[in-house]
Amino acid sequence: MDPKLIKRLLIVGTLNTAAIMFSQKTTADSISTKDKMIDEVVITGNSNPKASIKTSTSISTLKQADIINAAPRTTAEIFRAIPGIRSESSGGEGNSNITVRGVPVSAGGSRYLLIQEDGLPVMQFGDIAFGTQDQFVRFDSFVSKVEVLRGGSSSVFASNSPAGIINFITKTGEKEGGSITQQVGLNYKNFRTDIDYGTPLGNNYFIGVGGFYRVGDGPRKTGYISNNGGQFRLSLLKKFEKGSIRIYGKYLDDRTAAYMPMPVAVSGSDANPEYNSLPNFNILTGALQSSNFTNDLTLGGNGQILKSDIRDGMHSVAKAVGLEFNYDLGSGWKLEEKARYTANDGQFLAPFPASVGSKAEILESITGYGSAVYAGTNTIVDSNSKYMKTVLFNTKLNNLNNFFSDLNITKKWDKIKLNTGLYNSTQNLNLSWNWNTYLMEVSDHNARLVDVVNPSGTKITDNGLLHYGVPDWGGGNRNYDTKYSVIAPHAQVEINLVENLTLDLGARYDFGKVSGSFSGTENTTRVIDINQNGTIETPELSVPVIHGTVPVDYKYEIFGYSFGANYALNSHNAIFARISQGGSASADRILFAGYNYTNTNDPALDAVKVNKVNQTEAGYKLRGANYFLNTTFFYAKTVEANYEATTQRRTENRYQSLGVEFDGYFKINKNFDIKAGLTYTHAEIKEAMDATIIGNMPRRTPKFMYSINPNVNIEKLSIGFFVVGSTKAYTQDNNMLVMPGYAIVNPYISYKVLKNMTLNINANNIFNALAITEVEESSLIGTNGIVRARTLPGRTFAASVKFDF
C-alpha cells in the first residue's frame, strides 16, 4: 500500500480519536440528558426505523428545502451533494452514471446502486443501456424526503444494490395542506409547475395528490422545445386499529433532451491538458441537437419502416400502481407487504459523435467523395469548419415493464428483533436499437446536415444520411427480448443483549432466472426503399437487416450478507463497524459478447453473469444539540464484466477501493449553519484482461469529492450556496489523459414574502466552471486536437414562487 496513503489515513484516525475523547468529556460536563440531539429517524436499509446514531450504516437524508436550495436542474444532480456519491449528471434528465465510494462505473448507469420509490426499485437493474433507472424517476413536491444509504446493509435489503440505495419517499396525505410552486428559468427557457395536496377524508382515510408539468429548452441550446412533459401521483391511505393499507399510483410521460459527449478542443499534454470550446461550439451551453436534424427514418426492430421525431429525445413513460399493507398480529409479530407493477416504455434518441475533424478528415475520407454541400442546398460547405460523422442512437424501449413484491414478517422480543422476508420480481427487457449514421457540421446553433456528392454528381448521402445502421461498429442494429425473474428470501436479526451494543446480521439469497432471446449478431444487408419515394438512393443499396437469433436461458444465484455492530459510547457518541457481501446480476451488458447463454454451468458465462462486491466499513458518529459528524472508513473489492457497444470491447476486471468519508453539520447560532461532506478514495484495478492497466486507477474516479453548504437565516430571509466538486481523474483505465478537477458553485436566496408565500432565486454553476465528467478518448496521442466529452452545463438562473395552503 502507498506509504502516503497510510500516513493520511493515520492522520485522519488520530483526529477522530481526539474528537471522540473531546466529545466524551464535553458531553459529560456540559450536555444534560434533556438536551436534544440532531438526528434523523431512517427507514431505508433497516428492518426497524430508528435514529441514525443507533445504526451501523452510513445514511443521509435530504429534505425538500435542501433539494430546492441545491438548485438541481435534473434529478441526478440532487445526489451530487451527498458524501460518497459520484453522480455524473451531465447526460440530462436520465442516462446518468452514479456510483458510490470508488466502486467503478466501467460501462454506464448505476450497476451497484439502486433507486427506489417508497422502498421498491424503479428498475431491477440500474445500468440497462439506454434504459437506465433515472430515466423513469422524477423529483417533485410530492416527495417528502430522499434517503441515501451507502454500502452497509443495502446488500441484504434489496437485490442488485450492494453499494447503496437511494429511496424517494412520497407523501401519504396524512398532513393536511399542500403547495403550488411555479418555477421559471431566468436565462434559459424553463416553465414548471409543481403541486401537491393532502387531506383526511374522514373515518381514518387520507388522500394525497401531486405532480408536475414543465415545458422548455433545458440548460442547453437544442434549437427547439426539448423538455415537455410531467408526472401525476395519487395516494389513498386507510388506517385502522392494528395497521394500515395504502394504494398509490404514478403516471409519468416526459420528453427531455439526452446529452451525449460533445466535440471539445484540447491542447497541451495528457498529464496537463487544456480543454476549450471549438470556434462554433460552446461546450457549456451547446448541444448536438439541431432544428435541422429532427426526423429519422430507419428499419425498425420488426422489419417495419420506423419514423422517429428526434425532438422526443429521452421519452420516458411509466404507469405504476402500488400497494402497501402492514398489520400488527399481536405478541410482537407484524406483517408488512409492499408490491408494485409498472408499465415502462418510451424511446431514446440522441446524436453521438462517432468521429470529429476537419473537412478533409471527415468528409473527404468518404469513399467516392467528389464534393460536399449542406443538405437541401447546393451551397458548398465551409472548408474551415469542423464536421462530424454522427451516429443517431435511436432505441425503442418497447417493454421495460416490471413487478416487485416484498413480504416481511417481524417479531420483537425484549432484546432481539427478527425480520424475515420474501422478495419476488420480474423485469422485462425488450428494446430495439435502430441506429443510423449521418454527416453534420460542428455547431451549437442549429448545425446543418451535410451531403457528399461523387465526381459524377450523384449524391452518396441522402439528406445527411450516410449509412442505414453503423457499419463502422458492426451494424449497430439489435433486438433484445429477455425477461429476468428473481426470488430472494432474506432475513435480518438485531440483538441488544448488552447495553449500548447493537448487533445486526442479515442474509439474502437471490435465485435469478433469465429467458428470452436477442438478435442482430449477424447483420445482413438488403436493398430497401426506406423513404418509399420509388427511387433507390445510395444508402438504400445496403440496409442492414437484423438476422440471427440467439436464445437465452440460464440461471444465477447471489448470496449476500451483512454483519454490523454499533456501540454507543454515551448518548452522543457511537462507533460502528460492518462487513458485507453482495452482488449485481449482469443484464444486457453481457449479451452480444459471444458467451453460451443457454448453459447455466458454462464456466465462461458463470464468471460474468454476477458482479460481486465485498465491503468493510468502520466509523464514528458524533451528535450534539447543534452539530453532528459522521466519519466512515471503507474498503471494497469488486469483480465485474462488461461489453461496450461503442468500442465492441469485452472486459472482465477486479477492482479495489479504500478511503474515508466525512459528513457533518454545525449550527453556529440561530442565524448561521453549515453542512459539509468530503470523501477520499484510493481505487486500483487489481486484475484485467488487458494486463497493461493492472495497478491503474479506474477511469473517472477522483481521489477527493466534496460538498459544502453555508446557510444564513435572518428572520424571513435565507441565503447561502452549495459548492460541489472533485479533484482530477483519468478519462480511461490506461491512466494517460486527465480530466481536471472542478468546483461548481450554486448560490440561492429565499425570502418569505407572506406567511404562506416564499420566493426563491438560485443559480447553478454561477462561475461557469468547466466540469468534465467523461471523455471518450484515452490519450491526446494520435488525435487531431479534438476529443469527445460530456460536461456539466454552464451558468443558469432560475426563480420560483411557492404558495402553501
Side-chain angles (χ1 to χ4, degrees), residues 79 84-86 98-100 103 109-116 123-127 133 148-151 154 159-166 584:
F79 315 137
I85 298 288
R86 177 159 60 95
I98 310 170
T99 189
V100 185
V103 175
S110 48
R111 170 171 288 179
Y112 303 103
L113 180 144
L114 201 68
I115 297 178
Q116 295 183 341
M123 301 282 282
Q124 186 61 87
F125 305 98
D127 63 337
Q133 55 186 341
V148 183
L149 174 68
R150 285 96 68 193
S154 60
S159 297
N160 297 322
S161 60
I165 297 171
I166 297 175
S584 180

PDB file of all heavy atoms in Angstrom, residues 79 84-86 98-100 103 109-116 123-127 133 148-151 154 159-166 584:
ATOM      1  N   PHE A  79     -28.127  14.188  -6.178  1.00  0.00           N
ATOM      2  CA  PHE A  79     -27.267  13.287  -5.425  1.00  0.00           C
ATOM      3  C   PHE A  79     -25.835  13.797  -5.282  1.00  0.00           C
ATOM      4  O   PHE A  79     -25.051  13.226  -4.527  1.00  0.00           O
ATOM      5  CB  PHE A  79     -27.237  11.908  -6.094  1.00  0.00           C
ATOM      6  CG  PHE A  79     -28.590  11.413  -6.516  1.00  0.00           C
ATOM      7  CD1 PHE A  79     -28.774  10.797  -7.749  1.00  0.00           C
ATOM      8  CD2 PHE A  79     -29.697  11.573  -5.694  1.00  0.00           C
ATOM      9  CE1 PHE A  79     -30.017  10.342  -8.147  1.00  0.00           C
ATOM     10  CE2 PHE A  79     -30.955  11.137  -6.081  1.00  0.00           C
ATOM     11  CZ  PHE A  79     -31.109  10.525  -7.319  1.00  0.00           C
ATOM     12  N   GLY A  84     -19.752  10.615  -0.667  1.00  0.00           N
ATOM     13  CA  GLY A  84     -19.550   9.259  -1.155  1.00  0.00           C
ATOM     14  C   GLY A  84     -20.224   8.943  -2.461  1.00  0.00           C
ATOM     15  O   GLY A  84     -19.884   7.963  -3.124  1.00  0.00           O
ATOM     16  N   ILE A  85     -21.214   9.763  -2.880  1.00  0.00           N
ATOM     17  CA  ILE A  85     -21.941   9.515  -4.119  1.00  0.00           C
ATOM     18  C   ILE A  85     -21.269  10.281  -5.267  1.00  0.00           C
ATOM     19  O   ILE A  85     -21.051  11.484  -5.173  1.00  0.00           O
ATOM     20  CB  ILE A  85     -23.408   9.974  -4.020  1.00  0.00           C
ATOM     21  CG1 ILE A  85     -24.140   9.189  -2.927  1.00  0.00           C
ATOM     22  CG2 ILE A  85     -24.110   9.809  -5.361  1.00  0.00           C
ATOM     23  CD1 ILE A  85     -24.431   7.753  -3.276  1.00  0.00           C
ATOM     24  N   ARG A  86     -20.918   9.553  -6.328  1.00  0.00           N
ATOM     25  CA  ARG A  86     -20.412  10.197  -7.548  1.00  0.00           C
ATOM     26  C   ARG A  86     -21.513  10.132  -8.593  1.00  0.00           C
ATOM     27  O   ARG A  86     -21.799   9.070  -9.140  1.00  0.00           O
ATOM     28  CB  ARG A  86     -19.140   9.511  -8.039  1.00  0.00           C
ATOM     29  CG  ARG A  86     -18.606  10.094  -9.349  1.00  0.00           C
ATOM     30  CD  ARG A  86     -17.133   9.772  -9.545  1.00  0.00           C
ATOM     31  NE  ARG A  86     -16.868   8.366  -9.590  1.00  0.00           N
ATOM     32  CZ  ARG A  86     -16.764   7.626 -10.705  1.00  0.00           C
ATOM     33  NH1 ARG A  86     -16.945   8.206 -11.870  1.00  0.00           N
ATOM     34  NH2 ARG A  86     -16.489   6.349 -10.654  1.00  0.00           N
ATOM     35  N   ILE A  98     -23.928   6.798 -11.937  1.00  0.00           N
ATOM     36  CA  ILE A  98     -23.962   7.031 -10.490  1.00  0.00           C
ATOM     37  C   ILE A  98     -23.302   5.860  -9.792  1.00  0.00           C
ATOM     38  O   ILE A  98     -23.585   4.691 -10.100  1.00  0.00           O
ATOM     39  CB  ILE A  98     -25.411   7.174  -9.980  1.00  0.00           C
ATOM     40  CG1 ILE A  98     -26.191   8.193 -10.826  1.00  0.00           C
ATOM     41  CG2 ILE A  98     -25.429   7.603  -8.515  1.00  0.00           C
ATOM     42  CD1 ILE A  98     -27.677   8.216 -10.536  1.00  0.00           C
ATOM     43  N   THR A  99     -22.415   6.153  -8.847  1.00  0.00           N
ATOM     44  CA  THR A  99     -21.773   5.089  -8.090  1.00  0.00           C
ATOM     45  C   THR A  99     -21.399   5.600  -6.703  1.00  0.00           C
ATOM     46  O   THR A  99     -21.648   6.757  -6.357  1.00  0.00           O
ATOM     47  CB  THR A  99     -20.535   4.543  -8.826  1.00  0.00           C
ATOM     48  OG1 THR A  99     -20.065   3.366  -8.167  1.00  0.00           O
ATOM     49  CG2 THR A  99     -19.427   5.575  -8.869  1.00  0.00           C
ATOM     50  N   VAL A 100     -20.781   4.729  -5.904  1.00  0.00           N
ATOM     51  CA  VAL A 100     -20.523   5.015  -4.500  1.00  0.00           C
ATOM     52  C   VAL A 100     -19.102   4.604  -4.138  1.00  0.00           C
ATOM     53  O   VAL A 100     -18.642   3.522  -4.498  1.00  0.00           O
ATOM     54  CB  VAL A 100     -21.501   4.239  -3.589  1.00  0.00           C
ATOM     55  CG1 VAL A 100     -21.314   4.629  -2.130  1.00  0.00           C
ATOM     56  CG2 VAL A 100     -22.936   4.479  -4.021  1.00  0.00           C
ATOM     57  N   VAL A 103     -16.486   2.396  -6.109  1.00  0.00           N
ATOM     58  CA  VAL A 103     -16.980   1.256  -6.874  1.00  0.00           C
ATOM     59  C   VAL A 103     -17.106   1.726  -8.323  1.00  0.00           C
ATOM     60  O   VAL A 103     -17.642   2.794  -8.591  1.00  0.00           O
ATOM     61  CB  VAL A 103     -18.330   0.765  -6.324  1.00  0.00           C
ATOM     62  CG1 VAL A 103     -18.905  -0.340  -7.190  1.00  0.00           C
ATOM     63  CG2 VAL A 103     -18.147   0.254  -4.890  1.00  0.00           C
ATOM     64  N   GLY A 109     -24.629   3.998 -16.423  1.00  0.00           N
ATOM     65  CA  GLY A 109     -25.729   3.801 -15.486  1.00  0.00           C
ATOM     66  C   GLY A 109     -25.241   3.662 -14.063  1.00  0.00           C
ATOM     67  O   GLY A 109     -24.231   4.240 -13.663  1.00  0.00           O
ATOM     68  N   SER A 110     -25.963   2.882 -13.277  1.00  0.00           N
ATOM     69  CA  SER A 110     -25.620   2.704 -11.854  1.00  0.00           C
ATOM     70  C   SER A 110     -25.821   1.238 -11.481  1.00  0.00           C
ATOM     71  O   SER A 110     -26.824   0.873 -10.879  1.00  0.00           O
ATOM     72  CB  SER A 110     -26.476   3.614 -10.968  1.00  0.00           C
ATOM     73  OG  SER A 110     -27.853   3.516 -11.326  1.00  0.00           O
ATOM     74  N   ARG A 111     -24.864   0.428 -11.862  1.00  0.00           N
ATOM     75  CA  ARG A 111     -24.969  -1.017 -11.677  1.00  0.00           C
ATOM     76  C   ARG A 111     -25.066  -1.428 -10.221  1.00  0.00           C
ATOM     77  O   ARG A 111     -25.775  -2.372  -9.881  1.00  0.00           O
ATOM     78  CB  ARG A 111     -23.750  -1.703 -12.312  1.00  0.00           C
ATOM     79  CG  ARG A 111     -23.615  -3.179 -11.991  1.00  0.00           C
ATOM     80  CD  ARG A 111     -22.535  -3.838 -12.804  1.00  0.00           C
ATOM     81  NE  ARG A 111     -22.941  -3.973 -14.192  1.00  0.00           N
ATOM     82  CZ  ARG A 111     -22.155  -4.509 -15.132  1.00  0.00           C
ATOM     83  NH1 ARG A 111     -20.931  -4.898 -14.819  1.00  0.00           N
ATOM     84  NH2 ARG A 111     -22.596  -4.620 -16.364  1.00  0.00           N
ATOM     85  N   TYR A 112     -24.376  -0.734  -9.328  1.00  0.00           N
ATOM     86  CA  TYR A 112     -24.272  -1.181  -7.943  1.00  0.00           C
ATOM     87  C   TYR A 112     -25.106  -0.356  -6.974  1.00  0.00           C
ATOM     88  O   TYR A 112     -25.027  -0.566  -5.767  1.00  0.00           O
ATOM     89  CB  TYR A 112     -22.806  -1.163  -7.506  1.00  0.00           C
ATOM     90  CG  TYR A 112     -21.926  -2.011  -8.387  1.00  0.00           C
ATOM     91  CD1 TYR A 112     -21.095  -1.435  -9.343  1.00  0.00           C
ATOM     92  CD2 TYR A 112     -21.950  -3.397  -8.293  1.00  0.00           C
ATOM     93  CE1 TYR A 112     -20.293  -2.210 -10.161  1.00  0.00           C
ATOM     94  CE2 TYR A 112     -21.167  -4.185  -9.112  1.00  0.00           C
ATOM     95  CZ  TYR A 112     -20.347  -3.586 -10.044  1.00  0.00           C
ATOM     96  OH  TYR A 112     -19.556  -4.371 -10.871  1.00  0.00           O
ATOM     97  N   LEU A 113     -25.863   0.595  -7.482  1.00  0.00           N
ATOM     98  CA  LEU A 113     -26.692   1.439  -6.632  1.00  0.00           C
ATOM     99  C   LEU A 113     -28.105   1.442  -7.194  1.00  0.00           C
ATOM    100  O   LEU A 113     -28.312   1.665  -8.381  1.00  0.00           O
ATOM    101  CB  LEU A 113     -26.117   2.857  -6.581  1.00  0.00           C
ATOM    102  CG  LEU A 113     -26.875   3.868  -5.734  1.00  0.00           C
ATOM    103  CD1 LEU A 113     -25.888   4.813  -5.043  1.00  0.00           C
ATOM    104  CD2 LEU A 113     -27.839   4.689  -6.578  1.00  0.00           C
ATOM    105  N   LEU A 114     -29.064   1.188  -6.337  1.00  0.00           N
ATOM    106  CA  LEU A 114     -30.453   1.060  -6.756  1.00  0.00           C
ATOM    107  C   LEU A 114     -31.244   2.294  -6.354  1.00  0.00           C
ATOM    108  O   LEU A 114     -31.094   2.800  -5.239  1.00  0.00           O
ATOM    109  CB  LEU A 114     -31.074  -0.174  -6.107  1.00  0.00           C
ATOM    110  CG  LEU A 114     -32.312  -0.767  -6.774  1.00  0.00           C
ATOM    111  CD1 LEU A 114     -31.945  -1.378  -8.117  1.00  0.00           C
ATOM    112  CD2 LEU A 114     -32.919  -1.837  -5.870  1.00  0.00           C
ATOM    113  N   ILE A 115     -32.076   2.791  -7.266  1.00  0.00           N
ATOM    114  CA  ILE A 115     -33.002   3.873  -6.947  1.00  0.00           C
ATOM    115  C   ILE A 115     -34.361   3.263  -6.630  1.00  0.00           C
ATOM    116  O   ILE A 115     -34.880   2.458  -7.406  1.00  0.00           O
ATOM    117  CB  ILE A 115     -33.122   4.870  -8.106  1.00  0.00           C
ATOM    118  CG1 ILE A 115     -31.774   5.553  -8.361  1.00  0.00           C
ATOM    119  CG2 ILE A 115     -34.181   5.932  -7.809  1.00  0.00           C
ATOM    120  CD1 ILE A 115     -31.790   6.529  -9.526  1.00  0.00           C
ATOM    121  N   GLN A 116     -34.909   3.637  -5.493  1.00  0.00           N
ATOM    122  CA  GLN A 116     -36.214   3.137  -5.058  1.00  0.00           C
ATOM    123  C   GLN A 116     -37.219   4.277  -4.968  1.00  0.00           C
ATOM    124  O   GLN A 116     -36.849   5.447  -4.803  1.00  0.00           O
ATOM    125  CB  GLN A 116     -36.114   2.466  -3.689  1.00  0.00           C
ATOM    126  CG  GLN A 116     -35.277   1.206  -3.638  1.00  0.00           C
ATOM    127  CD  GLN A 116     -35.289   0.575  -2.256  1.00  0.00           C
ATOM    128  OE1 GLN A 116     -35.623   1.221  -1.252  1.00  0.00           O
ATOM    129  NE2 GLN A 116     -34.935  -0.694  -2.182  1.00  0.00           N
ATOM    130  N   MET A 123     -36.315   0.242 -11.262  1.00  0.00           N
ATOM    131  CA  MET A 123     -35.966  -0.803 -12.215  1.00  0.00           C
ATOM    132  C   MET A 123     -35.144  -1.837 -11.472  1.00  0.00           C
ATOM    133  O   MET A 123     -34.452  -1.522 -10.500  1.00  0.00           O
ATOM    134  CB  MET A 123     -35.153  -0.240 -13.387  1.00  0.00           C
ATOM    135  CG  MET A 123     -35.849   0.850 -14.184  1.00  0.00           C
ATOM    136  SD  MET A 123     -37.076   0.211 -15.318  1.00  0.00           S
ATOM    137  CE  MET A 123     -36.007  -0.365 -16.623  1.00  0.00           C
ATOM    138  N   GLN A 124     -35.181  -3.090 -11.948  1.00  0.00           N
ATOM    139  CA  GLN A 124     -34.415  -4.132 -11.279  1.00  0.00           C
ATOM    140  C   GLN A 124     -32.920  -3.989 -11.537  1.00  0.00           C
ATOM    141  O   GLN A 124     -32.096  -4.436 -10.734  1.00  0.00           O
ATOM    142  CB  GLN A 124     -34.882  -5.516 -11.721  1.00  0.00           C
ATOM    143  CG  GLN A 124     -34.234  -6.662 -10.968  1.00  0.00           C
ATOM    144  CD  GLN A 124     -34.527  -6.618  -9.478  1.00  0.00           C
ATOM    145  OE1 GLN A 124     -35.520  -7.128  -9.010  1.00  0.00           O
ATOM    146  NE2 GLN A 124     -33.642  -5.978  -8.713  1.00  0.00           N
ATOM    147  N   PHE A 125     -32.564  -3.356 -12.656  1.00  0.00           N
ATOM    148  CA  PHE A 125     -31.162  -3.140 -12.995  1.00  0.00           C
ATOM    149  C   PHE A 125     -30.948  -1.652 -13.245  1.00  0.00           C
ATOM    150  O   PHE A 125     -31.749  -1.009 -13.928  1.00  0.00           O
ATOM    151  CB  PHE A 125     -30.770  -3.936 -14.243  1.00  0.00           C
ATOM    152  CG  PHE A 125     -31.065  -5.404 -14.136  1.00  0.00           C
ATOM    153  CD1 PHE A 125     -32.220  -5.931 -14.704  1.00  0.00           C
ATOM    154  CD2 PHE A 125     -30.220  -6.253 -13.457  1.00  0.00           C
ATOM    155  CE1 PHE A 125     -32.513  -7.276 -14.610  1.00  0.00           C
ATOM    156  CE2 PHE A 125     -30.505  -7.605 -13.352  1.00  0.00           C
ATOM    157  CZ  PHE A 125     -31.654  -8.122 -13.923  1.00  0.00           C
ATOM    158  N   GLY A 126     -29.867  -1.113 -12.732  1.00  0.00           N
ATOM    159  CA  GLY A 126     -29.621   0.316 -12.863  1.00  0.00           C
ATOM    160  C   GLY A 126     -28.775   0.695 -14.055  1.00  0.00           C
ATOM    161  O   GLY A 126     -28.522   1.882 -14.273  1.00  0.00           O
ATOM    162  N   ASP A 127     -28.321  -0.302 -14.841  1.00  0.00           N
ATOM    163  CA  ASP A 127     -27.383   0.016 -15.916  1.00  0.00           C
ATOM    164  C   ASP A 127     -27.844  -0.506 -17.273  1.00  0.00           C
ATOM    165  O   ASP A 127     -27.023  -0.801 -18.142  1.00  0.00           O
ATOM    166  CB  ASP A 127     -25.998  -0.538 -15.589  1.00  0.00           C
ATOM    167  CG  ASP A 127     -25.980  -2.062 -15.493  1.00  0.00           C
ATOM    168  OD1 ASP A 127     -27.046  -2.655 -15.242  1.00  0.00           O
ATOM    169  OD2 ASP A 127     -24.900  -2.662 -15.671  1.00  0.00           O
ATOM    170  N   GLN A 133     -32.319   3.541 -14.817  1.00  0.00           N
ATOM    171  CA  GLN A 133     -33.411   3.736 -13.863  1.00  0.00           C
ATOM    172  C   GLN A 133     -33.742   5.211 -13.636  1.00  0.00           C
ATOM    173  O   GLN A 133     -34.906   5.557 -13.380  1.00  0.00           O
ATOM    174  CB  GLN A 133     -33.086   3.048 -12.548  1.00  0.00           C
ATOM    175  CG  GLN A 133     -31.770   3.470 -11.920  1.00  0.00           C
ATOM    176  CD  GLN A 133     -31.422   2.663 -10.683  1.00  0.00           C
ATOM    177  OE1 GLN A 133     -32.265   2.023 -10.061  1.00  0.00           O
ATOM    178  NE2 GLN A 133     -30.149   2.681 -10.310  1.00  0.00           N
ATOM    179  N   VAL A 148     -30.562   8.232   1.469  1.00  0.00           N
ATOM    180  CA  VAL A 148     -29.475   7.651   0.685  1.00  0.00           C
ATOM    181  C   VAL A 148     -28.601   6.805   1.605  1.00  0.00           C
ATOM    182  O   VAL A 148     -28.012   7.317   2.559  1.00  0.00           O
ATOM    183  CB  VAL A 148     -28.632   8.739   0.004  1.00  0.00           C
ATOM    184  CG1 VAL A 148     -27.547   8.096  -0.856  1.00  0.00           C
ATOM    185  CG2 VAL A 148     -29.508   9.647  -0.843  1.00  0.00           C
ATOM    186  N   LEU A 149     -28.548   5.512   1.312  1.00  0.00           N
ATOM    187  CA  LEU A 149     -27.733   4.569   2.072  1.00  0.00           C
ATOM    188  C   LEU A 149     -26.514   4.206   1.250  1.00  0.00           C
ATOM    189  O   LEU A 149     -26.632   3.829   0.088  1.00  0.00           O
ATOM    190  CB  LEU A 149     -28.543   3.311   2.394  1.00  0.00           C
ATOM    191  CG  LEU A 149     -27.786   2.158   3.056  1.00  0.00           C
ATOM    192  CD1 LEU A 149     -27.373   2.534   4.467  1.00  0.00           C
ATOM    193  CD2 LEU A 149     -28.648   0.903   3.068  1.00  0.00           C
ATOM    194  N   ARG A 150     -25.325   4.350   1.836  1.00  0.00           N
ATOM    195  CA  ARG A 150     -24.099   3.959   1.151  1.00  0.00           C
ATOM    196  C   ARG A 150     -23.568   2.673   1.773  1.00  0.00           C
ATOM    197  O   ARG A 150     -23.303   2.606   2.973  1.00  0.00           O
ATOM    198  CB  ARG A 150     -23.028   5.038   1.285  1.00  0.00           C
ATOM    199  CG  ARG A 150     -23.248   6.260   0.414  1.00  0.00           C
ATOM    200  CD  ARG A 150     -23.931   7.363   1.160  1.00  0.00           C
ATOM    201  NE  ARG A 150     -23.095   7.939   2.204  1.00  0.00           N
ATOM    202  CZ  ARG A 150     -23.534   8.737   3.152  1.00  0.00           C
ATOM    203  NH1 ARG A 150     -24.811   9.057   3.217  1.00  0.00           N
ATOM    204  NH2 ARG A 150     -22.714   9.226   4.049  1.00  0.00           N
ATOM    205  N   GLY A 151     -23.396   1.642   0.919  1.00  0.00           N
ATOM    206  CA  GLY A 151     -22.824   0.390   1.403  1.00  0.00           C
ATOM    207  C   GLY A 151     -23.705  -0.257   2.441  1.00  0.00           C
ATOM    208  O   GLY A 151     -24.929  -0.314   2.318  1.00  0.00           O
ATOM    209  N   SER A 154     -27.344  -2.494   2.524  1.00  0.00           N
ATOM    210  CA  SER A 154     -28.083  -2.468   1.266  1.00  0.00           C
ATOM    211  C   SER A 154     -28.028  -3.798   0.530  1.00  0.00           C
ATOM    212  O   SER A 154     -28.956  -4.138  -0.213  1.00  0.00           O
ATOM    213  CB  SER A 154     -27.549  -1.355   0.354  1.00  0.00           C
ATOM    214  OG  SER A 154     -26.172  -1.556   0.070  1.00  0.00           O
ATOM    215  N   SER A 159     -32.160  -6.331  -3.996  1.00  0.00           N
ATOM    216  CA  SER A 159     -31.378  -7.055  -4.999  1.00  0.00           C
ATOM    217  C   SER A 159     -30.654  -6.070  -5.905  1.00  0.00           C
ATOM    218  O   SER A 159     -31.158  -4.989  -6.210  1.00  0.00           O
ATOM    219  CB  SER A 159     -32.296  -7.945  -5.840  1.00  0.00           C
ATOM    220  OG  SER A 159     -32.913  -8.939  -5.041  1.00  0.00           O
ATOM    221  N   ASN A 160     -29.465  -6.458  -6.338  1.00  0.00           N
ATOM    222  CA  ASN A 160     -28.655  -5.669  -7.275  1.00  0.00           C
ATOM    223  C   ASN A 160     -28.298  -4.288  -6.737  1.00  0.00           C
ATOM    224  O   ASN A 160     -28.233  -3.316  -7.486  1.00  0.00           O
ATOM    225  CB  ASN A 160     -29.376  -5.511  -8.622  1.00  0.00           C
ATOM    226  CG  ASN A 160     -29.605  -6.835  -9.317  1.00  0.00           C
ATOM    227  OD1 ASN A 160     -28.761  -7.720  -9.284  1.00  0.00           O
ATOM    228  ND2 ASN A 160     -30.764  -6.990  -9.933  1.00  0.00           N
ATOM    229  N   SER A 161     -28.049  -4.195  -5.443  1.00  0.00           N
ATOM    230  CA  SER A 161     -27.713  -2.885  -4.867  1.00  0.00           C
ATOM    231  C   SER A 161     -26.658  -3.007  -3.775  1.00  0.00           C
ATOM    232  O   SER A 161     -26.837  -2.487  -2.673  1.00  0.00           O
ATOM    233  CB  SER A 161     -28.966  -2.229  -4.282  1.00  0.00           C
ATOM    234  OG  SER A 161     -29.510  -3.054  -3.253  1.00  0.00           O
ATOM    235  N   PRO A 162     -25.539  -3.677  -4.041  1.00  0.00           N
ATOM    236  CA  PRO A 162     -24.568  -3.890  -2.963  1.00  0.00           C
ATOM    237  C   PRO A 162     -23.866  -2.628  -2.487  1.00  0.00           C
ATOM    238  O   PRO A 162     -23.324  -2.605  -1.392  1.00  0.00           O
ATOM    239  CB  PRO A 162     -23.568  -4.859  -3.593  1.00  0.00           C
ATOM    240  CG  PRO A 162     -23.660  -4.595  -5.062  1.00  0.00           C
ATOM    241  CD  PRO A 162     -25.104  -4.287  -5.309  1.00  0.00           C
ATOM    242  N   ALA A 163     -23.865  -1.559  -3.302  1.00  0.00           N
ATOM    243  CA  ALA A 163     -23.139  -0.351  -2.917  1.00  0.00           C
ATOM    244  C   ALA A 163     -24.017   0.704  -2.278  1.00  0.00           C
ATOM    245  O   ALA A 163     -23.514   1.600  -1.605  1.00  0.00           O
ATOM    246  CB  ALA A 163     -22.433   0.254  -4.132  1.00  0.00           C
ATOM    247  N   GLY A 164     -25.345   0.623  -2.493  1.00  0.00           N
ATOM    248  CA  GLY A 164     -26.175   1.650  -1.888  1.00  0.00           C
ATOM    249  C   GLY A 164     -27.591   1.675  -2.429  1.00  0.00           C
ATOM    250  O   GLY A 164     -27.926   1.001  -3.406  1.00  0.00           O
ATOM    251  N   ILE A 165     -28.420   2.464  -1.758  1.00  0.00           N
ATOM    252  CA  ILE A 165     -29.826   2.640  -2.122  1.00  0.00           C
ATOM    253  C   ILE A 165     -30.173   4.124  -2.027  1.00  0.00           C
ATOM    254  O   ILE A 165     -29.830   4.789  -1.043  1.00  0.00           O
ATOM    255  CB  ILE A 165     -30.762   1.851  -1.182  1.00  0.00           C
ATOM    256  CG1 ILE A 165     -30.503   0.342  -1.289  1.00  0.00           C
ATOM    257  CG2 ILE A 165     -32.222   2.148  -1.489  1.00  0.00           C
ATOM    258  CD1 ILE A 165     -31.241  -0.468  -0.231  1.00  0.00           C
ATOM    259  N   ILE A 166     -30.844   4.642  -3.046  1.00  0.00           N
ATOM    260  CA  ILE A 166     -31.432   5.990  -2.996  1.00  0.00           C
ATOM    261  C   ILE A 166     -32.942   5.808  -3.007  1.00  0.00           C
ATOM    262  O   ILE A 166     -33.501   5.278  -3.962  1.00  0.00           O
ATOM    263  CB  ILE A 166     -30.988   6.843  -4.193  1.00  0.00           C
ATOM    264  CG1 ILE A 166     -29.473   7.049  -4.160  1.00  0.00           C
ATOM    265  CG2 ILE A 166     -31.708   8.194  -4.182  1.00  0.00           C
ATOM    266  CD1 ILE A 166     -28.938   7.792  -5.372  1.00  0.00           C
ATOM    267  N   SER A 584     -24.485  -7.881  -8.062  1.00  0.00           N
ATOM    268  CA  SER A 584     -25.423  -7.327  -9.030  1.00  0.00           C
ATOM    269  C   SER A 584     -25.364  -8.181 -10.285  1.00  0.00           C
ATOM    270  O   SER A 584     -24.284  -8.423 -10.832  1.00  0.00           O
ATOM    271  CB  SER A 584     -25.052  -5.878  -9.354  1.00  0.00           C
ATOM    272  OG  SER A 584     -25.949  -5.335 -10.287  1.00  0.00           O
TER     273      SER A 584
END
